[in-house]
Amino acid sequence: MRAWSVVTPGPVEKNGLRLVEKPLPVPGEDELLVQVRACGVCRTDLHVSEGDLPVRRAGVTPGHEVVGVVAGSGAQVAGFAAGNRVGVAWLRRTDGTCGYCARGAENLCPSSRYTGWDADGGYAEYTTVPAAFAHRLPEAVDDVALAPLLCAGIIGYRALRRAALPPGGRLGLYGFGGSAHLCAQLALAEGATVHVMTRGAAPRQLALGLGAASAQDAYAMPPEPLDSAILFAPVGDLVPVALRALDRGGTLSIAGIHLSDTPPLHYESDLFYEKQIRSVTSNTREDAREFLALAARHGIHATTHTYPLTRADEALRDLKAGRFDGAAVLTNDL
């Protein structure tokens, strides 16, 4: 099959991500073989491709927002049939036995493995997924619309819950890409006031069109103090900026898997009055189930820009440069 491979981690402009021939993957005993129909383009794919995240599998195929159909399965798999539509997300496998898994925090499992980082993902004709970590998808929504929900939506949901937003609270979103624009819709549906701080006129216009109360530059102060904030942009310089925008007792949730170094924090202006910083690490399968149900209930939808899978490198370059609002989705033309 044809698949993209991170041959040389580094800047995506230098073509370290290449379209190559790989053997058709063979599913393990507890795994599904999935024919890829669509795959969302996540910022984590960019971090894997550029080496911001350490190499865990040489020549890995990125992609973990996969919508596809079951094309085969291992001997231990039950409950799935050929042709079933499934979603493949970032969290691929946990040990299921450690203390974290036992208390419902499988996202913290030290043995956790991830699609498109530890194992080949969806920038390919086919991929595999443990059946226990495959997501059943609603038939009424098309492939392209579903793909960004499988990571951008799920991680935005977890980040929102980690931000401890009170009912009817004031939420600030720093960065307004694939994850933030889905998170904003959920927060608004649940009664929040949303303020967006982000670079670029197009994302700010999208935010206002979705119902945000304001949209301004990433380093600007919102028009009112915030009860909660979520940092989606992987820019450490924004941590003190967001903290200063919080009201007393506010919480900053940092959503990304990678963040550039943060500058020194000033205790009085940045952290005093019981402000909190919380990180977000992956998600649980329960997060995914809860978010997909809420997305269906509230009509949450991604603003998408499609690229053929043969132009995945271009999509990542455009993501890095901020050339589109919302989310990019690859459709399989291999």
Coordinates of all heavy atoms in Angstrom, one line a residue, residues 41-46 123 177-178 199 307 313-324 326-328:
V41 N -6.2 16.2 10.0 CA -4.9 16.7 10.2 C -4.8 17.4 11.5 O -5.4 18.5 11.7 CB -4.5 17.6 9.0 CG1 -3.1 18.2 9.2 CG2 -4.6 16.9 7.7
C42 N -4.0 16.8 12.4 CA -3.9 17.4 13.8 C -2.5 18.0 14.0 O -1.5 17.6 13.4 CB -4.1 16.2 14.8 SG -4.0 16.7 16.5
R43 N -2.5 19.0 14.9 CA -1.2 19.6 15.1 C -0.2 18.6 15.7 O 1.0 18.7 15.5 CB -1.4 20.8 16.1 CG -0.1 21.6 16.3 CD -0.4 23.0 16.9 NE -1.1 23.8 16.0 CZ -0.5 24.6 15.1 NH1 0.8 24.6 14.9 NH2 -1.2 25.4 14.3
T44 N -0.7 17.6 16.4 CA 0.2 16.5 16.9 C 0.9 15.8 15.7 O 2.1 15.4 15.8 CB -0.5 15.5 17.7 OG1 -1.1 16.2 18.8 CG2 0.4 14.5 18.3
D45 N 0.3 15.7 14.6 CA 0.9 15.1 13.4 C 2.1 16.0 13.0 O 3.2 15.5 12.6 CB 0.0 15.0 12.2 CG -1.3 14.2 12.5 OD1 -1.2 13.3 13.4 OD2 -2.3 14.4 11.9
L46 N 1.9 17.3 13.1 CA 3.0 18.2 12.8 C 4.2 18.0 13.8 O 5.4 18.0 13.4 CB 2.5 19.6 12.8 CG 3.5 20.7 12.4 CD1 4.0 20.6 11.0 CD2 2.9 22.1 12.7
Y123 N -2.5 8.3 7.7 CA -2.0 8.9 6.4 C -1.6 7.8 5.4 O -0.5 7.7 5.0 CB -0.8 9.8 6.6 CG -1.1 11.1 7.3 CD1 -2.2 11.4 8.1 CD2 -0.2 12.2 7.2 CE1 -2.4 12.6 8.7 CE2 -0.4 13.4 7.8 CZ -1.5 13.6 8.6 OH -1.7 14.8 9.2
G177 N -7.9 26.9 16.3 CA -7.8 26.0 15.2 C -8.8 24.9 15.3 O -9.9 25.1 15.8
G178 N -8.4 23.7 14.9 CA -9.3 22.6 14.8 C -10.0 22.2 16.2 O -11.2 22.0 16.2
R199 N -4.2 34.5 16.5 CA -3.6 35.3 15.4 C -4.5 35.1 14.2 O -5.2 34.1 14.0 CB -2.2 34.8 15.1 CG -2.2 33.3 14.6 CD -0.8 32.9 14.2 NE -0.8 31.5 13.7 CZ 0.3 30.9 13.2 NH1 1.5 31.5 13.2 NH2 0.2 29.7 12.7
Y307 N -8.2 18.0 1.6 CA -7.0 17.8 0.8 C -7.0 16.3 0.4 O -7.3 15.5 1.2 CB -5.7 18.1 1.6 CG -5.4 19.5 2.0 CD1 -6.1 20.1 3.0 CD2 -4.4 20.3 1.4 CE1 -5.9 21.4 3.5 CE2 -4.2 21.6 1.8 CZ -4.9 22.1 2.8 OH -4.6 23.4 3.3
D313 N 1.5 16.4 2.9 CA 2.6 17.2 3.3 C 2.2 18.7 3.1 O 2.5 19.6 3.9 CB 3.8 16.9 2.5 CG 3.6 16.9 1.0 OD1 2.4 16.9 0.5 OD2 4.6 17.0 0.2
E314 N 1.4 19.0 2.1 CA 1.0 20.4 1.8 C 0.0 20.8 3.0 O 0.1 21.9 3.4 CB 0.3 20.5 0.5 CG -0.3 21.8 0.2 CD -1.0 21.9 -1.1 OE1 -0.9 21.0 -1.9 OE2 -1.8 22.9 -1.3
A315 N -0.9 19.9 3.4 CA -1.8 20.2 4.4 C -1.1 20.5 5.7 O -1.5 21.5 6.4 CB -2.8 19.0 4.7
L316 N 0.0 19.8 6.0 CA 0.8 20.1 7.3 C 1.5 21.4 7.1 O 1.6 22.2 8.1 CB 1.7 18.9 7.5 CG 1.2 17.7 8.1 CD1 2.2 16.6 8.3 CD2 0.5 17.9 9.5
R317 N 2.0 21.7 6.0 CA 2.6 23.0 5.8 C 1.6 24.2 6.0 O 1.9 25.2 6.6 CB 3.3 23.1 4.4 CG 4.6 22.2 4.3 CD 5.4 22.6 3.0 NE 4.6 22.3 1.8 CZ 4.7 21.2 1.1 NH1 5.4 20.2 1.6 NH2 4.0 21.0 0.0
D318 N 0.4 24.0 5.4 CA -0.6 25.0 5.6 C -1.0 25.1 7.0 O -1.3 26.2 7.5 CB -1.8 24.7 4.7 CG -1.5 24.9 3.2 OD1 -0.4 25.4 2.9 OD2 -2.3 24.4 2.4
L319 N -1.1 24.0 7.7 CA -1.5 24.0 9.2 C -0.4 24.9 9.9 O -0.7 25.7 10.7 CB -1.5 22.6 9.7 CG -1.7 22.5 11.3 CD1 -3.0 23.1 11.7 CD2 -1.6 21.0 11.7
K320 N 0.8 24.6 9.7 CA 1.9 25.3 10.4 C 1.9 26.8 10.1 O 2.1 27.6 11.0 CB 3.3 24.7 9.9 CG 4.5 25.3 10.6 CD 5.8 24.6 10.1 CE 7.0 25.2 10.8 NZ 8.2 24.5 10.4
A321 N 1.6 27.1 8.9 CA 1.6 28.5 8.5 C 0.2 29.3 8.8 O 0.1 30.5 8.7 CB 1.8 28.7 7.0
G322 N -0.7 28.5 9.3 CA -2.0 29.1 9.7 C -2.8 29.6 8.5 O -3.5 30.6 8.5
R323 N -2.7 28.8 7.4 CA -3.4 29.2 6.1 C -4.9 28.9 6.0 O -5.5 29.2 5.1 CB -2.6 28.6 4.9 CG -1.2 29.1 4.8 CD -0.6 28.7 3.4 NE 0.7 29.2 3.3 CZ 1.8 28.4 3.4 NH1 1.6 27.1 3.7 NH2 3.0 28.9 3.3
F324 N -5.4 28.2 7.0 CA -6.8 27.9 7.0 C -7.4 28.0 8.4 O -6.7 27.9 9.4 CB -7.1 26.5 6.4 CG -6.4 25.3 7.1 CD1 -6.8 24.8 8.3 CD2 -5.3 24.8 6.5 CE1 -6.2 23.8 8.9 CE2 -4.6 23.7 7.1 CZ -5.1 23.2 8.3
G326 N -10.4 26.5 11.1 CA -11.1 25.2 11.4 C -10.1 24.1 11.3 O -9.0 24.2 11.8
A327 N -10.4 23.0 10.5 CA -9.6 21.8 10.5 C -9.4 21.3 9.1 O -10.3 21.5 8.2 CB -10.3 20.7 11.3
A328 N -8.3 20.7 8.8 CA -8.0 20.1 7.5 C -8.3 18.6 7.6 O -8.1 18.0 8.6 CB -6.6 20.3 7.0

